[in-house]
């Protein structure tokens, strides 16, 4: 009995991990685009990207999830709930990932550009060889923290009918009638997924200052 | 877009907004104070106190607000406590964000040079006064932007209270969506109202940052 | 060096008695003894790392010491020593009360950047000594006048030059009406042309009879301002004499070579 409950939760946890991984991947790609647009694109596009980040970060994810869940059918789009959730969360967290990458790129001193140019690199080379490697080191900790936030927020997918770790807790709780242990179990599940990310983030943070 | 419809749903949403504002305001105040307790525990001279605080921060950082709300609302009745849904929302937001606020305060405090404390102590201030009158004012100014962002996170996370049927803005909107055939209007209205509130919070922080600038 | 007998020096304000201090395995102060009489200006000189700063910080207990005792106006600093020789820490309140009577001026000024110059001068008198705001302000203005900066009262420290900041720091210390002031290389962070204005203020304090312990690398200044000069090396006071004797006829090889190196570095 206990074993089946645990297996069930582990199943839900693996769905959570896969959802989070997909969202992290999508939001990183989009976020990188946003960051580059905000920093180096044609000025009107920069403003647009900044506006996107500002607006996205001012609306609750739950509202976006619910909004799309209700609106998409009217647009004639019928996406499976997971796909819709991944797309919505991907675009939502792109705003955050964008800030992570932009912050890291801006933290590389301007003199590094000049240094690269003085060695004869052209802009794109300069960016790839001199700037990006330095920025990559700087963005690891904030990237991990944002990823942790993604994992926690995948729990909201249950609110639009997706099945993942949080849903297993609700189901087990309702079936066994023991809600407290069920939700504590779910909390433990999230903790086990997030803890390594948090540890890694603070490890990287500590060791990047030295 | 149907403006007549918008005007019809607006009062419903505004009622929800009132509750969102109440949730957010209480959670903000609670987390601002809770954060002080967390940072005190984190910097305590007693190792056991530090350990407990670190464990608390760890648990809060690594579990979703949604789970915490459900534990409070559905779990507590099993041990004979029956908190109201609204209270559960406030408490969950305060619990989680006290941990974050505490860590933000700590980062601020640690960014103020030790020599500031030494100067204050050498003028005869007690350690506590040096902390409150000299270090904290400088620390808080430095982390104001981060605190502002966290305030917006609290506002947004207050929407999670809708999952336990607190009729705040998100829940009010969801109910409208359930029974109307005009999803975009409702959705855009909700989003606009959240954006307006976020703008007020960020504007407030900007004002504070202008009134209390970081000086070096 | 013979141990000073406190009853023969009724006027001594600071008595440092065989103080020892280690950072880990690094023995930074080795049985240092020194008395500072009321109204005296004692200057500490010596090579970098010899323990001057550490000794000064022990005097107002920003640093703890491991053995021996420091007392100010008859009261041991930071610790209480029982009849059986047991050392117990003094409560924060007593340490703070002692520090309120001992001013300290730092190499890096350490003004409070979020407070105006005036508030830098009034915060401690108001919060520590309970002075009424009005009185604290009047006094602060008088002190700013004294260091020649009354027109800067409403400015924030960042708007001031290094020399001005250091003069404000001295005024801030004076606002607490200290019985003793500790100054640690107060001109080392300054551009050369700003050194004079700060040293002038310190000179004027000495002329007024303020008791001071000064760490400095400015030998000419040490010669002019000091009642006595202590030469430290490797955590010990090697020579202690009047400036004329110490600079005029150094006894130890270490002091001779220290002064020789100093002169070589400053000859143009
Ligand atoms: N907080 C500390 N922890 C460990 N070692 C320290 C600490 N502070 C000072 N020391 C060591 O103690 C010794 C004495 O340092 P101190 O700062 O007192 O020297 P100083 O005479 O003031 O030198 P300077 O002229 O360079 O200011 C040095 O070897 C220094 O490295
Ligand atoms: Mg020194």
């Amino acid at each position: 009995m206990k074993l089946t409950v645990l297996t069930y939760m582990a199943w839900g946890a693996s769905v959570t991990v896969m959802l989070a991984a997909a969202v992290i991947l999508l939001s990183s790609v989009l976020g990188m685009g946003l960051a580059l647009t905000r920093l180096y694109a044609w000025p009107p596009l920069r403003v647009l990207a900044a506006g996107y980040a500002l607006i996205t970060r001012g609306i609750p994810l739950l509202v976006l999830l619910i909004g799309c869940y209700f609106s998409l059918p009217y647009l004639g789009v019928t996406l499976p709930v997971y796909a819709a959730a991944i797309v919505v969360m991907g675009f939502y967290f792109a705003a955050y990932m964008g800030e992570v990458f932009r912050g890291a790129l801006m933290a590389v001193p301007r003199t590094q550009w000049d240094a690269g140019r003085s060695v004869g690199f052209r802009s794109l080379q300069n960016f790839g060889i001199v700037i990006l490697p330095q920025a990559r080191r700087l963005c690891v900790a904030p990237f991990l923290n944002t990823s942790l936030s993604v994992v926690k927020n995948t729990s909201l997918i249950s609110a639009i009918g997706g099945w993942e770790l949080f849903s297993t807790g609700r189901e087990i709780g309702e079936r066994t009638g023991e809600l407290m242990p069920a939700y504590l179990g779910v909390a433990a599940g999230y903790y086990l997924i997030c803890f390594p990310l948090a540890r890694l983030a603070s490890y990287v943070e500590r060791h990047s200052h030295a | 877009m149907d403006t007549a419809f918008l005007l019809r749903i607006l009062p419903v949403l505004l009622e929800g907004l009132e509750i969102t504002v109440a949730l957010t305001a209480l959670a903000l105040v609670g987390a601002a104070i809770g954060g002080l307790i967390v940072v005190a525990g984190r910097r305590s001279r007693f190792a056991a106190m530090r350990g407990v605080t670190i464990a608390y921060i760890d648990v809060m950082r690594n579990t979703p607000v949604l789970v915490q709300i459900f534990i409070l609302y559905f779990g507590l009745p099993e041990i004979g406590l029956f908190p109201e849904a609204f209270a559960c929302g406030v408490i969950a937001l305060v619990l989680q964000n006290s941990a974050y606020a505490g860590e933000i305060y700590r980062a601020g405090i640690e960014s103020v040079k030790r020599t500031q404390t030494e100067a204050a102590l050498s003028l005869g201030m007690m350690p506590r006064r040096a902390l409150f009158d000299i270090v904290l004012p400088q620390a808080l100014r430095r982390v104001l932007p981060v605190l502002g962002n966290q305030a917006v996170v609290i506002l947004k996370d207050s929407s999670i209270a809708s999952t336990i049927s607190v009729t705040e803005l998100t829940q009010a909107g969801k109910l409208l969506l359930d029974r109307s055939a005009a999803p975009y209007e409702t959705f855009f209205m909700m989003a606009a109202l959240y954006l307006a509130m976020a703008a007020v919070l960020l504007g407030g922080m900007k004002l504070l940052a202008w009134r209390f600038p970081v000086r070096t | 060096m013979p141990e000073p007998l406190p009853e023969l020096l009724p006027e001594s304000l600071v008595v440092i008695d065989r103080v020892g201090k280690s950072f880990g395995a690094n023995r930074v102060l080795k049985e240092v003894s020194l008395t500072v009489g009321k109204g005296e200006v004692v200057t500490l000189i010596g090579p970098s790392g010899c323990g001057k700063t550490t000794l000064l910080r022990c005097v107002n207990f920003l640093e703890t010491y491991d053995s021996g005792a420091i007392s100010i106006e008859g009261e041991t600093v930071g610790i209480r020593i029982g009849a059986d020789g047991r050392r117990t820490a003094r409560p924060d309140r007593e340490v703070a009360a002692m520090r309120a009577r001992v001013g300290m001026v730092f190499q890096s000024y350490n003004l409070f950047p979020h407070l105006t110059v005036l508030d830098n001068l009034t915060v401690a008198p108001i919060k520590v000594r309970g002075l009424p705001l009005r009185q604290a302000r009047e006094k602060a203005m008088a002190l700013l006048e004294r260091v020649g900066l009354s027109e800067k009262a409403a400015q924030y420290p960042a708007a001031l030059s290094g020399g001005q900041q250091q003069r404000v720091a001295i005024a801030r210390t004076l606002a607490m009406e200290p019985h003793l002031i500790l100054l640690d290389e107060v001109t080392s962070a300054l551009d050369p042309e700003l050194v004079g204005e700060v040293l002038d203020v310190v000179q004027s304090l000495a002329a007024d009879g303020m008791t001071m312990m000064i760490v400095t690398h400015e030998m000419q200044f040490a010669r002019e301002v000091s009642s006595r000069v202590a030469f430290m090396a490797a955590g010990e006071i090697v020579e202690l004499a009047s400036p004329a004797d110490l600079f005029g006829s150094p006894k130890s090889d270490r002091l001779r070579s220290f002064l020789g190196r100093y002169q070589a570095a400053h000859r143009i």
Side-chain angles (χ1 to χ4, degrees), chain C residues 4-38:
Chain C
L5 297 173
E7 56 272 21
L8 295 182
L9 296 163
E11 297 268 67
S12 61
L13 194 93
V14 186
V15 178
I16 299 170
D17 180 20
R18 287 165 294 175
V19 162
K21 162 86 186 168
S22 301
F23 287 112
N26 185 6
R27 197 150 164 70
V28 177
L29 296 177
K30 300 168 192 156
E31 309 255 308
V32 173
S33 295
L34 175 69
T35 52
V36 180
K38 210 166 177 189

Side-chain angles (χ1 to χ4, degrees), chain C residues 129-151:
Chain C
R129 298 183 56 200
L131 223 60
L133 180 70
R134 238 174 98 87
Q135 215 176 314
R137 289 226 161 127
E138 277 167 18
K139 197 166 148 54
M141 284 312 297
L143 285 168
L144 285 177
E145 187 88 44
R146 168 165 189 183
V147 298
L149 291 169
S150 40
E151 80 282 10

Side-chain angles (χ1 to χ4, degrees), chain B residues 187-200:
Chain B
F187 172 55
F188 279 119
M189 205 65 190
M190 282 163 76
L193 289 173
Y194 272 111
L195 272 176
M197 285 188 286
V200 168

Side-chain angles (χ1 to χ4, degrees), chain B residues 115-116 118-127 129 133-134 137-138 141 215-216, chain C residues 57 60 92-93 96 99-100 102 106 110-114 127-128 156 158 172 176:
Chain B
T115 52
Q116 286 289 306
E118 289 184 349
L121 292 178
S122 76
L123 286 167
M125 291 189 192
M126 298 278 282
R129 175 163 311 279
D133 287 9
I134 302 300
Q138 297 181 55
R141 285 162 201 239
R215 296 177 197 276
T216 46
Chain C
R57 286 165 61 86
N60 74 348
D92 285 349
R93 181 163 299 284
R99 287 191 185 126
V102 179
F106 302 85
N110 300 352
L111 292 178
F112 304 131
H114 63 302
K127 305 247 166 149
V128 176
Y156 285 89
R172 176 176 73 177
M176 288 296 286

Side-chain angles (χ1 to χ4, degrees), chain C residues 52-53 107 184-185 215:
Chain C
K52 307 180 294 291
T53 296
Q107 178 175 345
D184 187 11
E185 296 194 34
V215 171

